Amino acid sequence: MSKRIFVPDLIRKRQRGEAITMLTAYDFTFASLVDQAGVDVILVGDSLGTVVQGHETTIPVTVDQMVYHVSLVARAAKSALVVADLPFMSYQPGPEVALQNAGRFIKEAGAAAVKLEGGQTVSETIRRIVDAGIPVMGHVGLTPQSFHTMGGHKIQGKRSADAKRLLADAKAVENAGAFCVVLEGIPASLAEQITNNLSIPTIGIGAGSKCSGQVLVLHDLLGITPLGEGAPPKFVKQYANLKETILSAVANFITDVKSGEFPTTEHEYKASPEKSGPRRVVS
Ligand code: KIV
């Protein structure tokens, strides 16, 4: 079994120029596989809302739902660092509410760190959580919890004023004490500029190759993104087509049951052989 990964290991990886790998997981089975495969960080993302719960956005996800899913993943992760996403309205009301909720993820669910979206406007909140001894991962650029403000899941930072603001946001996250920051849905050149201006690692998703690491939603990578969502976004690389594998396995099961091919005697239990003769009575 590989060594357990802690926050300082990720900082050292960035200093050595070693790429950091992060994937999402939401349950014990997938988290065990991702952990065994050797990923550095498992993010229990609030993408739970779209990927697992079938919502259009991440907005409906609650703290209680996230605590439950984080506990499943934390039980599975033997070496990866488990990061819990703070869902919408679990930190926006202010630093004290945020700290209470962040504390639940560490204490009740077994996460090692929390993630929250935003830059300059959440820096006080990040500072409060970090000061309480909870590592925080920032998230700037395309921040899915701002779906309505952004007008959908839109690429951010294309115009120079927006790019400047995002650089300032990432700096604010670092200055507030975050150990790492996710850069989502921004031009590759801006992600490179932000990475070069920070000393903490950046983890990109749809942010080009110059970040300190990369994250993908596991279901996208495996080719099992829910059917309603259409084609995965341009930044996704699909490493497997599990959708085809699952559909054909289930279709084969249906065919076999209907035709009597399953179960066969090899799947049956035998009754215990009857004991012959008088039973010996033990007094
Ligand atoms: O919720 C999530 O899965 C995320 C990643 C896409 C970074 O925030």
Side-chain angles (χ1 to χ4, degrees):
M1 194 180 66
S2 29
K3 171 180 162 294
R4 184 158 167 208
I5 294 174
F6 292 96
V7 162
D9 296 313
L10 300 180
I11 312 282
R12 279 193 285 274
K13 272 183 185 259
R14 149 115 216 203
Q15 286 160 354
R16 290 197 295 260
E18 234 179 274
I20 295 167
T21 55
M22 177 159 97
L23 284 175
T24 65
Y26 315 93
D27 66 18
F28 184 88
T29 307
F30 277 113
S32 303
L33 292 170
V34 166
D35 187 68
Q36 272 176 49
V39 84
D40 295 315
V41 184
I42 301 180
L43 170 67
V44 190
D46 64 352
S47 48
L48 176 84
T50 53
V51 173
V52 175
Q53 297 178 331
H55 292 298
E56 187 196 7
T57 71
T58 59
I59 290 169
V61 176
T62 68
V63 173
D64 286 343
Q65 290 164 351
M66 286 297 296
V67 166
Y68 171 71
H69 283 274
V70 172
S71 71
L72 309 183
V73 169
R75 213 170 296 143
K78 304 288 176 242
S79 68
L81 183 102
V82 175
V83 178
D85 223 353
L86 292 181
F88 183 57
M89 290 314 281
S90 68
Y91 59 93
Q92 286 86 348
E96 290 311 313
V97 173
L99 178 58
Q100 292 296 332
N101 285 318
R104 286 192 64 192
F105 286 108
I106 308 298
K107 201 168 164 160
E108 283 176 45
V114 297
K115 175 170 90 55
L116 57 85
E117 297 179 5
Q120 296 161 86
T121 56
V122 291
S123 59
E124 203 190 320
T125 297
I126 294 176
R127 171 59 60 203
R128 183 76 184 96
I129 301 173
V130 170
D131 283 350
I134 300 174
V136 174
M137 178 180 278
H139 183 158
V140 308
L142 194 170
T143 46
Q145 292 175 18
S146 307
F147 180 83
H148 296 299
T149 312
M150 292 182 305
H153 293 133
K154 300 257 171 70
I155 301 303
Q156 303 293 302
K158 283 187 168 177
R159 286 194 303 239
S160 74
D162 295 335
K164 260 194 201 143
R165 179 181 48 80
L166 291 179
L167 176 57
D169 278 340
K171 268 276 172 209
V173 165
E174 173 172 82
N175 291 337
F179 71 94
C180 182
V181 61
V182 169
L183 303 178
E184 177 166 359
I186 60 174
S189 55
L190 174 59
E192 181 174 9
Q193 192 193 357
I194 293 176
T195 302
N196 291 340
N197 274 275
L198 298 187
S199 56
I200 58 172
T202 59
I203 303 198
I205 174 160
S209 63
K210 296 293 196 286
C211 299
S212 326
Q214 297 291 326
V215 54
L216 282 179
V217 168
L218 183 64
H219 289 51
D220 289 340
L221 172 154
L222 296 177
I224 46 169
T225 307
L227 295 172
E229 293 207 347
K234 175 185 160 104
F235 61 80
V236 169
K237 181 166 176 185
Q238 195 181 310
Y239 287 84
N241 192 348
L242 288 198
K243 181 179 148 190
E244 287 301 314
T245 308
I246 292 169
L247 287 176
S248 112
V250 174
N252 287 341
F253 165 76
I254 294 169
T255 307
D256 279 4
V257 170
K258 287 185 173 171
S259 67
E261 295 273 316
F262 174 81
T264 62
T265 48
E266 90 187 83
H267 307 109
E268 287 174 3
Y269 296 103
K270 308 258 178 288
S272 309
E274 292 297 327
K275 294 220 169 65
S276 53
R279 285 177 188 234
R280 201 152 61 103
V281 178
V282 181
S283 56

